[in-house]
Amino acid sequence: MGTERESVLHSWCVQSQWNAPTVVGGAGARLHLEDGRTILDMSSLAECSNLGHQHPRVVAAIRAQAEQLCFVTNAWGAKPRAELAERLLALAGFEGGRVFFTLGGADANEHAVKIIRQALGRPRGVVIARDRSYHGATHLAMALSGDARSRALVDPDAMHVSHVEPPYAYRCPFGSSDHVQCGERAAAAIAARIDHFGPERVAAVIVEPNAGSNGIVAPDNYWPAVRRHTAERGIPLIADEVMSAFGRCGEWFAWQRYGDAGRPDAITLAKGLTGAALPLGAVVLSHELAARLEQQVLNTGLTYCGHPLGCAAGVAALAAYEDEGLIGRSRRLGAALKLELERLAGRHHVIGDVRGGHGLFAVLELVADRATREPLAPWPQTPPALKALLDAALAAGVSFGSRGNLLLLAPPLVIGEQELSDALALLDRLLGRFFPAT
Ligand SMILES: Cc1ncc(COP(=O)(O)O)c(C=O)c1O
């Protein structure tokens, strides 16, 4: 048998340079490779394997569901689908709301926009999104994303999408002097954009509430202010929680960090929903939005939406988060991770900023000069020394995530405390080796 290199197109890479490991199994935070090596996963692959790999409870639920019923179309009923929807509505406190199940995160965002445009009767209503965001790689999701890698491939105007600057406090696009001011001004920019179009022409605002894989971690005053401005103007607010939910930011849903003042009108989910064991996404809709759809034909649906195997995996995953206390564990370990990363920043001048840590998601922004904050490479390029560090880490048995100048730390929530400190000790050594003090 040949390798994937000859037969498969791989995402987000130059095909001729593909040389990623082949994984044959896993347990907890570790992946087992074809060549017999074991890798400690510090990225949850794509920030999705929140429960670690091959979680026994999820695997057993998939097996049991497969023996009973593999598939029924989403036009008909399926028991695990009903159970998962009820559980999500209860966890979100969206009484009387409804859940639309999708295949993953991008189509959850597409469906959220499509469904809300239909609910409001504004099929071409403008959707306001943010620069330096990521909402997925299908066509509309790419247009929603403020992602430098795919900007030239889509025409957001043609899809009625309008972008505003992000709450990037370390390099605040609004010239703010501190985090709070940056959060306020970034939220006010959304209000100003709604007013520019006029609320009757706007269908929704879609934002990652707290942390995003493009490296933004919003100041804490940002999301409640976005909520306030959108509510005052009657505009539905979609929280893209594809990455940030299920403990990643220390809560079931990252917006819950801000209590009722942060409650959105719709939440999009995927990744940790099944602990990534099977593809599944969801749009959780408030009662108010769901009620508007009650007497209309919902003009959408994909054959595999709400697949029973995925839903059974989702029910088991939610039970595992709860019974194993993983949301609180992520909050506790995330705070410890942030402290340790700040200690690393004290030793390594290449670390310009340490962000996150509300749960097991943290970002190190690497700079050429800490005083001037000059980036190590122009965004979104990966600096060669960071690439070399990541390769050396993998050779030493640890896989870290990265994006451009950023090192992303997002291990499974089940990672052992010793495993976490071993990974950070390796990172400490490698930062010293690849970015020596001058
Ligand atoms: C915030 C956010 N939204 C949407 C997506 C897209 O999800 P998927 O890759 O399942 O389509 C991602 C994936 O990284 C994400 O982080």
Side-chain angles (χ1 to χ4, degrees):
M1 193 172 63
T3 71
E4 279 192 43
R5 178 195 272 279
E6 285 114 42
S7 52
V8 176
L9 277 178
H10 293 96
S11 359
W12 304 113
C13 73
V14 177
Q15 303 307 308
S16 59
Q17 292 169 9
W18 184 82
N19 69 346
T22 293
V23 178
V24 293
R30 291 185 182 268
L31 290 164
H32 303 147
L33 306 189
E34 190 183 31
D35 63 10
R37 290 189 307 133
T38 288
I39 295 289
L40 178 60
D41 176 10
M42 282 293 291
S43 72
S44 302
L45 291 176
E47 300 99 22
C48 59
S49 300
N50 293 13
L51 291 168
H53 304 288
Q54 298 296 109
H55 192 288
R57 188 165 182 169
V58 179
V59 172
I62 295 169
R63 188 178 293 128
Q65 182 63 40
E67 275 166 14
Q68 197 184 343
L69 175 76
C70 283
F71 177 69
V72 63
T73 158
N74 64 84
W76 291 14
K79 286 193 169 165
R81 194 187 298 140
E83 192 178 344
L84 185 58
E86 275 170 29
R87 194 78 192 95
L88 288 172
L89 291 168
L91 284 170
F94 273 34
E95 283 83 16
R98 290 209 184 220
V99 181
F100 182 82
F101 286 108
T102 67
L103 312 185
D107 59 324
N109 287 325
E110 297 230 0
H111 274 106
V113 167
K114 200 179 345 176
I115 288 171
I116 291 174
R117 279 178 170 159
Q118 180 174 344
L120 301 188
R122 292 177 197 158
R124 273 172 285 283
V126 175
V127 178
I128 297 171
R130 224 174 56 188
D131 282 330
R132 281 287 283 245
S133 63
Y134 185 70
H135 298 295
T138 54
H139 226 74
L140 174 60
M142 264 162 78
L144 295 172
S145 301
D147 193 297
R149 297 167 301 175
S150 55
R151 187 170 294 143
L153 303 175
V154 273
D155 179 0
D157 290 342
M159 296 192 186
H160 312 286
V161 174
S162 177
H163 287 108
V164 294
E165 300 273 23
Y168 184 6
Y170 185 61
R171 304 180 187 282
C172 186
F174 305 96
S176 309
S177 52
D178 60 33
H179 279 57
V180 173
Q181 201 178 58
C182 193
E184 257 166 32
R185 290 182 179 179
I190 292 183
R193 190 61 59 86
I194 298 172
D195 295 342
H196 165 79
F197 287 105
E200 64 294 337
R201 285 185 55 207
V202 177
V205 169
I206 182 165
V207 175
E208 297 156 283
N210 179 249
S213 55
N214 261 330
I216 303 292
V217 177
D220 267 338
N221 60 332
Y222 173 73
W223 180 257
V226 172
R227 173 65 289 186
R228 209 177 50 250
H229 292 312
T230 47
E232 281 167 5
R233 289 161 176 79
I235 302 300
L237 176 59
I238 305 169
D240 178 346
E241 294 254 15
V242 168
M243 191 276 278
S244 57
F246 306 112
R248 184 54 65 200
C249 291
E251 307 284 343
W252 282 101
F253 308 110
W255 65 262
Q256 289 174 326
R257 178 175 171 76
Y258 314 109
D260 269 344
R263 180 180 300 280
D265 302 290
I267 313 168
T268 54
L269 301 168
K271 298 194 186 255
L273 176 56
T274 63
L278 281 175
L280 185 73
V283 183
V284 183
L285 279 183
S286 70
H287 170 65
E288 291 70 23
L289 284 172
R292 287 170 174 261
L293 294 162
E294 206 54 28
Q295 306 300 334
Q296 314 182 23
V297 175
L298 189 65
N299 289 309
T300 191
L302 308 175
T303 299
Y304 297 127
C305 280
H307 197 289
L309 290 180
C311 291
V315 170
L318 298 193
Y321 289 118
E322 184 153 40
D323 294 351
E324 295 172 30
L326 292 177
I327 310 295
R329 184 169 201 276
S330 176
R331 202 179 308 138
R332 189 166 51 76
L333 288 187
L337 171 65
K338 177 94 185 288
L339 278 180
E340 196 47 49
L341 294 176
E342 277 162 356
R343 271 188 217 117
L344 282 189
R347 287 201 287 281
H348 301 284
H349 274 248
V350 71
I351 301 177
D353 195 28
V354 179
R355 312 195 267 276
H358 298 317
L360 279 168
F361 181 84
V363 180
L364 295 181
E365 176 157 348
L366 306 186
V367 288
D369 181 329
R370 198 186 264 181
T372 62
R373 302 189 178 181
E374 181 193 337
L376 206 53
W379 182 258
Q381 290 170 26
T382 301
L386 175 57
K387 171 86 177 64
L389 181 153
L390 296 169
D391 289 347
L394 198 59
V398 180
S399 154
F400 290 101
S402 76
R403 180 77 55 90
N405 289 316
L406 311 175
L407 253 166
L408 305 179
L409 296 106
L413 315 187
V414 297
I415 190 169
E417 294 186 31
Q418 189 59 50
E419 289 176 319
L420 187 55
S421 61
D422 288 349
L424 293 176
L426 175 69
L427 183 58
D428 190 9
R429 288 197 298 281
L430 294 178
L431 284 167
R433 186 165 130 209
F434 289 96
F435 300 100
T438 46

